[in-house]
Each structure stands twice: as structure tokens, then as C-alpha cells.
Amino acid sequence: MRILVANVNTTVSMTEAIASSARSVASPGTEIVGITPRFGADSCEGNFESYLAAIAVMDAVLAYPEPYDAVIQAGYGEHGREGLQELLEVPVVDITEAAASTAMYLGHRFSVVTTLDRTVPLIEDRLKLAGLDQRCASVRASGLGVLELESDPQRAVEAIVEQSTRAVSDDHAEVICLGCGGMAELEEQVRAATGVPIVDGVRAAVTIAEGLVRMGLSTSKVRTYAPPREKRITGWPFRI
Amino acid sequence: MRILVANVNTTVSMTEAIASSARSVASPGTEIVGITPRFGADSCEGNFESYLAAIAVMDAVLAYPEPYDAVIQAGYGEHGREGLQELLEVPVVDITEAAASTAMYLGHRFSVVTTLDRTVPLIEDRLKLAGLDQRCASVRASGLGVLELESDPQRAVEAIVEQSTRAVSDDHAEVICLGCGGMAELEEQVRAATGVPIVDGVRAAVTIAEGLVRMGLSTSKVRTYAPPREKRITGWPFRI
Amino acid sequence: MRILVANVNTTVSMTEAIASSARSVASPGTEIVGITPRFGADSCEGNFESYLAAIAVMDAVLAYPEPYDAVIQAGYGEHGREGLQELLEVPVVDITEAAASTAMYLGHRFSVVTTLDRTVPLIEDRLKLAGLDQRCASVRASGLGVLELESDPQRAVEAIVEQSTRAVSDDHAEVICLGCGGMAELEEQVRAATGVPIVDGVRAAVTIAEGLVRMGLSTSKVRTYAPPREKRITGWPFRI
Amino acid sequence: MRILVANVNTTVSMTEAIASSARSVASPGTEIVGITPRFGADSCEGNFESYLAAIAVMDAVLAYPEPYDAVIQAGYGEHGREGLQELLEVPVVDITEAAASTAMYLGHRFSVVTTLDRTVPLIEDRLKLAGLDQRCASVRASGLGVLELESDPQRAVEAIVEQSTRAVSDDHAEVICLGCGGMAELEEQVRAATGVPIVDGVRAAVTIAEGLVRMGLSTSKVRTYAPPREKRITGWPFRI
Amino acid sequence: MRILVANVNTTVSMTEAIASSARSVASPGTEIVGITPRFGADSCEGNFESYLAAIAVMDAVLAYPEPYDAVIQAGYGEHGREGLQELLEVPVVDITEAAASTAMYLGHRFSVVTTLDRTVPLIEDRLKLAGLDQRCASVRASGLGVLELESDPQRAVEAIVEQSTRAVSDDHAEVICLGCGGMAELEEQVRAATGVPIVDGVRAAVTIAEGLVRMGLSTSKVRTYAPPREKRITGWPFRI
Amino acid sequence: MRILVANVNTTVSMTEAIASSARSVASPGTEIVGITPRFGADSCEGNFESYLAAIAVMDAVLAYPEPYDAVIQAGYGEHGREGLQELLEVPVVDITEAAASTAMYLGHRFSVVTTLDRTVPLIEDRLKLAGLDQRCASVRASGLGVLELESDPQRAVEAIVEQSTRAVSDDHAEVICLGCGGMAELEEQVRAATGVPIVDGVRAAVTIAEGLVRMGLSTSKVRTYAPPREKRITGWPFRI
């Protein structure tokens, strides 16, 4: 099967890192295709950028010319998953939700450790809307921007380990979700330092998407995610 | 003061209806300016269209050349308010929230009567995220599309009265919120037929926005709605 | 229009301060009338005093001889609003709720900073009942009694600034509500010290009450707030 | 021990019925003293009357000249329990809460069947504040006023049986709480007709109050229910 | 009346301590019978042991040869109460719930102080399922194992006093529940040290069970707790 | 990899049906081993039987002599998953939770259609504890016992289709979970009749368990699910 893994920002190296992480757990026979938006921010760290990414991901997925079996939206705490579900017949998996639903199989409570403090409320809101917030002990910020994860991985590990350790000791988390599409590389080090299971949303999403495809399941079309009605749409898709 | 009232769809007659409704409760000295997006759907009835509208409203508001004191996002159950709050220094009021917070001053529980069944979950999700869902007795659909409200107002009144009556008798609503930016015209008839207060979100939003401006209050910038960080944004604003 | 602003305690200087605060945001043409209860405590700092105030405010409002368009109950965290809504045809706005619903337009979460620790649960309970508690980050006590706010304003500012600062840094509040009818004078200083929007419930209530009147909206009478049934009432109104 | 059972209305025959119900489950050696307020409504069916009752019960209890070991507030869904807790050193038990906490030992969910529809929200609010609402399947109204329970007991039984039966079949209640201080007489008939346990709040409250006394437990005074501070109180107690 | 008080572990001295505590508040005429499981762990400190205890308590109660009027399951945070309710006609009271519902009559919020950190989630889960968690400020662990309470009572008091004091000051608890069946002996010392009411679940359960019996109330059999259907059961009761 | 799929009842034909269903979605290279308890009921339809099953599943899994990579507890709404997590190093997946977390990727709300009405509260309780209840529209009973699913499959399909159809139309479910380990055979027919995705918990659990194993993730051992402490256990494992 072929799974599209859509980065939410325009940074191609991050798309590659995400796709590589996805491939590390994909089954034999699963092709992972990384998708980079044509427009938007080079990192998503707030609502404006996230809304832009929501549309940019839809744009990029719709423009993909080959058939595919599932789509992963690989932005942590980002808007847009519901739109993709309307537009597509194949299942759509958001990594924020994939990490949370996976973590809930591993411990009584989980925490998310993300990048900047300002993105904490976005993640909290996505978990709340998804109904996956009740066993979330906390969402903590490492204080590092998205692109700093790539540029300074050692500092990233330290900051994430520090917040993860506090989540375990102070918030009673038993599992840590890495709250950014580009954090998968750090998983092993954070696990070693904290002693708790570390969930990378991209990897979790791949296993869930594969499972849905294998079970022949896709988005229900009877109500919320019915295809858009026929109507006049101006200016879409965008000329960039 | 000047308040921008942003329609979420591209139908200019609907912008005019919304602006007219806004003017009906604006204080002397308040100028209401209707804004129509440059792109998007001619009516918003689902997530894809709503996400497009979120960006289109930001685009339209940023393009407005004159100073203004507040912005009203005049789409019921639509995405995007948080993005506007990041981008602007002036207060932003969403009509879904304005109707709800107003209804809560008028009765123990309120219901929302909206257009199509498929938009019910969008409204429920917005109220949930806003923390304004606890006293919401129900969100009910009249079964009419957004544009049918304009094209067949008599049928619209009948359908909305029917659902409002059921909301009062079956769901124990004591107040009805008209769940669409373009329903204000119907307010008087629905009130007469049901005997309960009817809240139009656009009008409610005008009074709230005026109040915020009069109190000198605007969006907090310390965390969630801090201005976007300096970064590379590709393809924005869109060429349409 | 004329709005009655009912103090909940018998301290006339506090009524005057509240009315003055209300006037500072009232529209031209709005007359603010401060009302002082005939009986009760000289400050409300607990349930017994608050229940007494609930009845005293009803007594005082019913005794007011002229017509009026709305009533504001200007006690933070006090009982009684529902009784006024039954007795009156005009809209009733409680300042605890007005501050909260206003704060929710300004930030992702808000905190309330009030007087004594013992009044914290009263405020929490009012917000819970009103369904306005979900975005409340915390209710914090400054440790000062109600009347100390008047007698030692400098110490009051310091104590409130301290708790507000902690609410922002520790509880992730983005907006502060001043949790006492008599705190409005301190607004500017607290805002300057904390950098976040400060909401005074009395001012917020005035803008909301004006808005309701301008929209022609008042309390729904179909169920919870229907007028009391005809029956024998002994000893009311009280001879004081 | 001596337990004061305070009626919330001024109808002496109802006080007697409540006290008689209380005596039916009191332990040997427990003296039940019925208390009737000096002022207020002859039945409590709404917020104004309930707030008046809150103060009237405090007035009546404080006026009781002999020692006592516990107080039961015998109004269903009424305000005021918190005030009594501040004023008294002995434990205070509210019958709304006593019925609910008792019902939770008997079935997975319970319903309350009360008098008029307008009192339903009061009961819902009391249960919500008490944190005892999560297993409440519904609060249903029989449509009879409080005093009709006494004047037409047969019709009362029929109406309550009808709503109880619906609560069991439609709302999945497994236990019914009689939602009025004066309904205890009907218990046996409702039980026979529905086949589920029927909880009378007054009786439940007696067993709970006795238990607290026997364990030597009373209201915590460290915060919420600390005694009122010393201060000037005008006009209290009332001259009636 | 006769009440069976079922210990959840196989330590007979603990059964005796529990029964002794139960007797200290039982009414004249109430016979308390301590029951010790035939199998299981000598202390319950986790889910495996708790599930084993659930079955062991059912086994022991069913094996009891004389008539009885109520059963108390005297394990804090343990599984199994629902099973007993199906199997028995008499009322069943769990001490976790008894402590919580009792504490709610005594203060605005309560905390539970238990043994090991690993049992905290069990208690939280039981309170959540029982719908008694909303006024629970915290569940805190003293760090002592169940059997250390008996073997080193002085250290137990110190550890429990320390956590209770923190619960009051940091979590705003106004009442403390002793979170283990075997803690009753420590009650007086913890009360003296903290100044708040201390609730022992066993004692609370006795008063509640007596009350239910006196009111003639028992488990509803219409749905959740209907007797098991006739069917083939293999290997039960166990040969030990 | 090898996955143990543990039936919760002693009916071997049901174990075989469950294992067969599991195999239908297992990856090449995954061995599914069906496990039948040595003791317990021939079908689980209530709390007593479910508690017995909890222990019986632990007993059966611990007795399995070969290595394995994950365990699936294949009872819908049954107790016991937390105990297995303590006892095992490999991941444990409960089918109630697996169905729910899978359904949440497919629609805005899901319903569960189960066997007897008396098992509805068990399922509701498991979803509540798992924090997976917020998007559950309803749990509905078909009225058929567990073993009737096998003995009268046509009637089972009809009853399940009827309740599923109502869940979609009345409760706004967009996805249906088959609420019994033995319902997988019916999946295709129910899907055809309702037009919404149908989730079988066993199949869902297989994909999730495989995913966890592939990611190298297992139960966190830092707190709730730490291995049982060393202690004296009497009578375990049972002699049957």
C-alpha cells in the first residue's frame, strides 16, 4: 500500500526526516511518500501558520497524481484534519491523535513534550476536540523552535529530556509523546534518559493507517465528513 | 469606532445582509464595514470550506486599508478565529461564541438552530473548544442550505420555527441562537412563534466588540495569541 | 437607558465606587444608579453573608421606585442572580459571569484574583454553575478583606499584582479578572505590572447589559426564570 | 442525640410530615425536632422562594434554643446549605445530596422525580455543585405543585409513578429519588409500582446525620465553611 | 442486624483491626463479622492483587453460612464491588465510596491519603467510576506499604500527617480520607495534627450500611446488578 | 511475531471464532494463538462473570508455555486488562478500547452495539475509565445473549442492524463498534445494511498490537503497571 505523509511546513529536509521516520516502522510492501506543501511557513508555531498549513496540506494532497491508500497529517497540534477527511475517500490519520491513542495503551497517563510554549494550547485544543485529553497529564514546552530541533539536536535532547523527566515526576505521566513531527530522531535518547515509553506520532500514525487499510476501513461519509456539496469555489486551487 | 464584520463566504449579498444586521444594533458613532473574502466558497457548509474561509477572512482583513477597532468573524461554527487573534492587535469576536455567551445571560440552557445537519458537529466543536458548551441543550439542523435562507425565507422561517419549538419542548432550551450569519432577518418571526428570546450572533458580536473597545480591552499577547514569529512564508498572500 | 447597579453589601462608599466604575464605560445616555441594600453585612466574605445579600439585593431592587432597563448584581461570587431573574422582566447581569465571559474573548485562559481565600470556593462554584469554568485557569486570593481594598489601596495593588503575576506564570492565565466589585480602581496599575488584559466585572457587566437592552433581549420566562407562582409569602418584604 | 429537621417552607403540616418521615428511620435515642421557618413562602417552587428559604432556615435554626447534634435541611433543590455550615458547629445534611449519595449505593444510575418542571433546573444545579450529578440519569417533573402532594395524594402517586416508570425505561435509571421533602408518604406505592428502590431524601439524611454524629465528624472549618468574620450586620435577625 | 466486613487480603490481623474499627461506630444491636478471604495476597497493592481479591471476597462472602443484612468491602481502591452487588440481595458498601460520600458532607473538597504511589491510580479510577471524583482535590501516597501500617504505626502516622498537611495547604482539601482499610487506628492522631475532619472508610461504610438496612433499601435488580443468568460455570467455587 | 488472543469465556468454539477473526487482518508472519480460560462462565454477561474472567485470563496467559509478543484481551466491556499489564512485559490490548480508539479515526461519533442490556453499563464504565467515552454517542443492546450470536446468526444480524441503524439516525453515530468478541462474522452484513464503517474490536486490537510491537513499545512500568511486589499469595494459581 502507499501512504502519503504530509508535512505541514515547507521545509523539505523536515519532510524527509518525517518520511524516514515513517519508513522505519512501515510494513514490507508499504510505500511511504513524503509530501511538502507548496505554500505556507517553513515551520508551524501558531494558529495563523497552522491554518495556512491546513489548506496547504489539502492543496498538496489533492495535487498528488498517483493513487494512495491513506494520508497522515504529520503536524503536531495543527488544524485541518477534518477538511482532509471530507475531501478524501481514504483514511486520514493525524499524528497528534495517533500519538495520544497509542500512548493510552502504554500507561495510565501520558504527557506531550513539544517545542514552544505558544503551541501548547494548540495541542491541548486538538486533544480536547478529539476526546483524547482525559488521560493527558500535561503538555509541556521545551522552549525550542521547530527548526532548532534539526539545527541543534543535542540541545533539543537535553531540553526534551528535562521536560519529560518533570512530566513523569511532577505530573505522573507514565508515557511521553514527542510533540512535533520532527522529533522522531530523538526518541531513543529520551527513552534511555527517562525510562518510560516514548511515542513518536509519525510512527504511531503509520501503524494505525496501515491497520485501517488492512481492515478495509475508511472515513464515514454519512454526516460530518461527507464530501463537500457542489458549489462555486473562487480562487481554488491557488496559483502560487 | 469602526468594526469590520467579515463574512466567511464570497456571496456579497450575504455580506450586505450581515452588515445590515450589525448596523441595527450598533451604537451611534460606530461604523460597520462589511468584508467579503476574495476567495473561497459561496457558502460555508463543511470543514473544507470552513478552513478555506478561515484563511480567506485573514486575507481579507489584512487587506483592508483603513484603521479599525475590532473585527467580527461572522460565520457560525467556522474555523479561524484564533488565527485572526494572532495577526491583529484589535479584539476579535466570533459570532458562534457571541451568540452563546449572550444566550447564557437569558436562560438556563440554550439551543442553536442551524442550516444543514452536517454543520452541527462543527458548531458543537467550536462551542466545546470555547468552553461554552455546558449550557447548550442541543444544536439542531433545519435542513436548509445557507443560500436557501436568502432564496426562500418563508420556508426558512418555518423550518427554523419547527426546530426551535422542539428545542424548547424536548431539549429544555430557554433561548434559541440562530446558527448562521445570514439568519438575522428571521429573528422577529421566530421569536413570535416560540415565545423565547432569539439571539442573532452578529448582533450579539457587535455589542460585545463595542464593549471591549469601550473598555480598552484587546487580545492578550502573552502566549496563545502572540504575533507570529518572524519566518519565511511562501506564497502568502495568495495571488487570486 | 437606566441601569441599576446593586452593591451586595451595606457600605455606601463601595456602592459609590462601583457606580463610578460603571459610569466610566457606560454609553452616553445610559444612567447608572447605584443601589445599596437596606440590610446585610458591610462586606460579603462568605456564604451566610452572601445569602443574606442575595435577599437584600432583591429587596433593594424591588423597592426602587423608578423604571429601569437592566440590573447588575455587583458582587463577585455571590448568590442570588437567579432570584432576581425570576422577579424582574428586565435583564440581570452578574459581574462574576460578566468578567468571565468577557475574559474569554481576550485569551485562551483567565484567572480570577479575589480577596480572601475563603471566598475562592464561592467564585469557583458560581463559575461552575454558570458553565464558565472550563477556561478558568485558577481563582487566587490576595489575602485582603473586601474593606481593606478601600482602606489600603497600595497594599491591595501589591497583593493583587503578586497573585496576578503568579496566575500568568504558573497557571498559564492570559487574562486576569478582578474578583471583587470594589477593585476597579486598581485595574490600571495591575495591567501595567502584569502586561495582560485586566477585566473588571462591573465594567464588563455594563457593556453586556447595555448590549442586551439594545438588542431588545431579556430573561426567558418559559421555565427556570418564570415569575414566582401566586402564593402566600410570610414576612416579606422585611421590616428593618 | 437530637437532630433538627428544618422545613424550607412555612406550611406547618408539611413540617410535621417531614418530621414524621424522619422519625420512621431514626435510631432509638434520636430525637427528631421539626423546625418551621418564621417567614417565607408556603411552598418553595423557584429561586426567589428558595433564596428566601435559605435565610429563613438559618434564622429558624439559630433561634432554636436547645442544644442539638445535627441539622437537616429538608428542601429538595434549595439554596442555603453552605450558609448553615458556616454558622453551625454541628454537621448539616441537605436532603438533595442525601438522596443522591444514598441512591448511588443502590444502582448504576438514579433519577429524581420532583414536582413542577420549573424546579428541575434547581435540582440539577444543586447536584452539579455537589459533584453528585454524574450518575444522575434525569430529573423529571410530575407537574404537581408542592402543596398538591398533600391535598391530592392519589393523583400525586399516579404522576410520580408515571415519571418514575419512564425514568427506568427511557433514562435507564435503576433507583428513584423522591424529589421533594414532602413525598415520603408515597414511597411504598411508588416502589410497588416500579420495582426499583425508592429513596426519600429526609430518611436518607437522618441516617447520614446520625452516622456523622456517631463518628464524631462535623463540618471542616479550615476554609470554605469557617465561621463568618466579625463584622457589622444590619437588620439581622429580621423583625417579622 | 449483622454486617459482614470483608477484608480484601489474607492477613487475619488486618481483618481484626478492620472489624474492630467497624464495631467502634456500629449501633447497639449491630453485629460486625470480619471476613478473611481464603486466597489472594497478604496485602493488596496493585491491580493483579486487587482482581484476585475481588473474586476472593465474593468467594468468602458466598461461603459465609449465616444470614446477614449488609456487606462492606473493606479494601480501598479495590475492584469487585459490582460483582458482589449482582450476587447478593443485601446492600453492598465499598469503603472507597463510603469515605468519599461522607467526606463530601464535611467540606468543599477532600483528599485521600493512601499507602504506595502505585495504588493512587486505582483509587482515582474507583472514584471516577463511582462519579465521586469531582470534589476530590488529590489522592496522595504516604509511601508506606499496607503491612507497614501495622508494623510501624508511628512512622505511618508521620507519613500520613505529612501528606495530609500538604493536601490541606497545597491542594485545598478540607477533609482527609484515610485511604486504606487498615488506617483507622491512626485517625485521632492525624486529626489532631491537621485540624481537619478525618474519615475512615470502614467506619463510614458501617453507618451507611446500617442506614440502608434501616430504610429497607437494597441494590436495584432491574439492570446492572441483576442476578447472574443461569449458565455453566467451570471451576467455581475454587478448590484451594 | 506471536500474539495471544485470550477469550474471556470457556466456550472453545468462540475462542476459535475470535482467533479466526484475528487472523483475517494479521500481517504475514504474525501468528495468532487463541487462548481459552480454564475456568469461568461459558459466556460473560455481567460483573461476577467478568471478574472471574479477569482472573481466568491472567491464569491462562501465565500458563501459556511459549514466548509471545503481545496479548489481546478479547472480551467486550470486561474487567482485568490492568492486571495483565502488571503481570506481563509485553503490550496488552483490550478490544473495547481498540474498537473505540479505531472508531475515532473514522467518524465524529461512534456507537457500540452489544448483546444484553445488562452489559451496557459495563461497556460504558470501561470506556469512561479508558477516557474514550467522550465521542461515544451511545451503547445499545441488541437483546441477544452472547451464545445466541453463534446459535442464531441471522437473528443476530437483524437485531444488530436494527440497533445500528437507530444509533446512526437517533444518536448521530457515524461508526458502529460491534460490542462483543464474537460478532466479527456479522461485520460485512451490518456494514452493507447501515452504510457506515463497522469496527470489530478483535481485528482492531490485532492491528494495534502489531503496531506496538513493531514500534518496540510496551507497557510503562514506572507506576500503575509496575510488576506486583514480592509477597505471599495464597492459593494461586488455582487448582481446577
Side-chain angles (χ1 to χ4, degrees), chain C residues 168-184:
Chain C
V168 172
S169 63
D170 297 2
D171 311 332
H172 302 301
E174 304 181 3
V175 185
I176 299 295
C177 296
L178 296 176
C180 177
M183 281 183 178

Side-chain angles (χ1 to χ4, degrees), chain B residues 105-107 197, chain C residues 85-86 88-92 217-221 225:
Chain B
Y105 288 103
L106 303 173
Chain C
Q85 286 181 294
E86 279 180 15
L88 307 179
E89 293 299 311
V90 301
V92 176
L217 292 169
S218 189
T219 305
S220 179
K221 290 293 176 176
Y225 305 122

